[in-house]
Amino acid sequence: GGNRELKVKWDSAKIQANLSITWEGIVPALMRRYEQTQSENQKRYYAGFLAEQKCSTCGGARLKPEVVGVHVGGKSIVDVSEMTIGEAHEFLDGLTLTGNQQLIGKELIKEIGNRLRFLMNVGLDYLSLSRKGPTLSGGESQRIRLASQVGSELTGVLYILDEPSIGLHQRDNIRLLETLSHLRDIGNTLIVIEHDRETMEAADWIVDIGPGAGLLGGQIIAEGTPASIRRNPRSVTGRFLSGKEDIVCPEQRRRPGKDESSWITVHGARENNLADITVPMPLELLVAVTGVSGAGKSTLINQILYPALSRQLHGSDLEIGDHDRIEGLESIDKVINIDQAPIGRTPRSNPATYTKVFDLIRDLFALLPASK
């Protein structure tokens, strides 16, 4: 009996000892493995559980307090960086420096002002100087590169631009064309691949290739001034420029449902230059989000709506733009983002492999007598 009592007490102590063991927890375990692993595949796997957030100390400025404490005209370097290009230009114009400040800052302010004007001339006055590069649209990135070339004032250069009007509202097209004309006027040549009507009408010379795509293309259909292209009966582009052909509007359009399940609504969108707006969008329809350049279209869709849906439905680690909430997520079971990023991750990727039609082609060839 004594031995049995001793065994029971020992088992009880053993159980209590096991219960008192401290476990590091899921989050610390994931962080430890992420930091210690030597495998890139494992690193990518653990990175799927991480998300970017602004530093609570510097607020995302990535600067020491001593640096932020230096002010010019009452503004720190962070304050100026968060201004739009237009606001920063106005700030510099209104800056009054005296004595040594004027001596030190005169040439610097002149150079900064010139670069800001170049960006404004290509219609980018709405962008903030601290805007992250990956959040820029294709057209915005191209116009920033264009602005840097305008500032260089090079001559005798041949510039090639691939659809610079991408993402650009018609209102801002004139500013872009004025910049291109300036580059031409100082002694450069510009070759622009473009579908935009205003760009073609502003061109000195047009080369129309076609008449169709693939096997139907590869020929010079017409070349000359915009007026001669309009008169050419072989040119599809000319028929649209002359107004003989046009985009036909549908006579009837589908209407959105009236119940809540037929809508998805973003409340309190504040990212970048969105002014705390609430946007309802109907489901099961073709919805166009439009407006002038810099109004916030890409921010609303690509930085708030898509990342939020991707996290909710697929557990992605995308950073979501500032907003209050999104209603109607339960009405959607999948989100697919079709952008301009290159398809596939390997050099062997092509339309056949990406669409998985090559799998079926291989199966077909495997069934042939020679294969068997």
Side-chain angles (χ1 to χ4, degrees):
N3 289 338
R4 186 167 56 200
E5 185 179 348
L6 182 62
K7 186 175 185 304
V8 170
K9 287 181 179 180
W10 184 83
D11 286 345
S12 177
K14 184 179 179 182
I15 292 170
Q16 288 179 1
N18 285 339
L19 290 174
S20 65
I21 291 175
T22 303
W23 184 52
E24 63 179 334
I26 294 176
V27 174
L30 286 173
M31 284 304 301
R32 175 176 54 78
R33 294 179 184 184
Y34 175 76
E35 292 168 356
Q36 293 178 358
T37 182
Q38 300 298 314
S39 167
E40 286 300 320
N41 287 334
Q42 285 298 307
K43 213 168 189 67
R44 279 195 293 269
Y45 170 74
Y46 294 128
F49 299 100
L50 304 177
E52 286 189 14
Q53 286 186 338
K54 288 183 179 179
C55 170
S56 57
T57 303
C58 70
R62 300 183 179 91
L63 294 171
K64 296 179 181 179
E66 297 87 341
V67 176
V68 181
V70 178
H71 289 74
V72 176
K75 301 287 186 183
S76 71
I77 190 171
V78 176
D79 297 331
V80 176
S81 295
E82 289 179 349
M83 293 179 180
T84 64
I85 290 166
E87 291 169 348
H89 190 265
E90 288 180 12
F91 168 71
L92 286 177
D93 277 352
L95 199 60
T96 53
L97 301 178
T98 57
N100 287 337
Q101 290 181 337
Q102 172 70 10
L103 189 65
I104 295 169
K106 182 179 179 181
E107 287 302 315
L108 291 172
I109 290 173
K110 177 185 174 183
E111 287 300 317
I112 296 170
N114 286 341
R115 283 163 171 75
L116 293 176
R117 270 193 298 276
F118 300 147
L119 290 166
M120 292 171 68
N121 288 341
V122 293
L124 295 175
D125 52 308
Y126 58 86
L127 284 181
S128 65
L129 292 170
S130 60
R131 179 78 170 265
K132 292 181 180 179
T135 67
L136 297 172
S137 68
E140 287 170 340
S141 301
Q142 193 173 40
R143 294 200 299 279
I144 287 174
R145 289 195 290 270
L146 184 61
S148 69
Q149 291 302 315
V150 176
S152 67
E153 290 288 330
L154 295 173
T155 59
V157 176
L158 190 149
Y159 289 102
I160 298 174
L161 297 95
D162 189 359
E163 299 189 55
S165 66
I166 291 175
L168 195 63
H169 193 273
Q170 278 72 14
R171 187 193 74 168
D172 301 310
N173 247 8
I174 295 172
R175 298 164 82 177
L176 174 64
L177 293 173
E178 286 174 349
T179 302
L180 298 180
S181 299
H182 172 72
L183 282 172
R184 174 202 60 193
D185 294 342
I186 63 176
N188 297 301
T189 304
L190 286 90
I191 297 177
V192 184
I193 302 167
E194 189 57 272
H195 305 282
D196 177 63
R197 180 172 189 153
E198 286 179 319
T199 307
M200 287 188 279
E201 290 178 341
D204 301 309
W205 196 261
I206 295 177
V207 178
D208 189 13
I209 299 179
L215 296 175
L216 302 176
Q219 303 174 51
I220 301 296
I221 301 305
E223 58 178 321
T225 63
S228 67
I229 299 295
R230 290 192 197 97
R231 293 193 299 267
N232 193 316
R234 294 185 63 214
S235 173
V236 176
T237 303
R239 292 202 294 271
F240 278 88
L241 286 176
S242 63
K244 292 178 182 177
E245 288 195 35
D246 205 350
I247 298 173
V248 180
C249 292
E251 295 180 1
Q252 292 184 337
R253 301 183 191 271
R254 297 178 64 173
R255 296 187 176 276
K258 296 182 179 180
D259 57 326
E260 292 184 0
S261 62
S262 301
W263 295 78
I264 188 167
T265 305
V266 181
H267 291 269
R270 293 178 295 274
E271 186 69 14
N272 293 331
N273 49 347
L274 293 176
D276 196 13
I277 59 173
T278 295
V279 187
M281 285 171 279
L283 300 176
E284 298 184 12
L285 296 178
L286 174 61
V287 182
V289 180
T290 186
V292 297
S293 300
K297 306 179 294 294
S298 296
T299 300
L300 176 68
I301 303 303
N302 295 331
Q303 291 184 249
I304 296 179
L305 182 60
Y306 171 66
L309 287 168
S310 187
R311 270 204 189 185
Q312 174 80 13
L313 301 174
H314 309 306
S316 76
D317 60 340
L318 294 175
E319 184 179 359
I320 304 174
D322 192 15
H323 71 289
D324 291 334
R325 68 186 189 282
I326 298 178
E327 292 180 348
L329 293 178
E330 64 279 356
S331 302
I332 300 172
D333 57 13
K334 181 184 288 187
V335 59
I336 298 173
N337 185 28
I338 300 177
D339 55 18
Q340 295 177 329
I343 62 171
R345 297 180 181 177
T346 68
R348 295 183 180 181
S349 179
N350 57 41
T353 59
Y354 194 80
T355 57
K356 293 185 171 53
V357 70
F358 202 57
D359 296 346
L360 302 175
I361 293 172
R362 278 199 300 261
D363 291 343
L364 174 64
F365 273 84
L367 293 173
L368 295 177
S371 302
K372 292 182 178 179

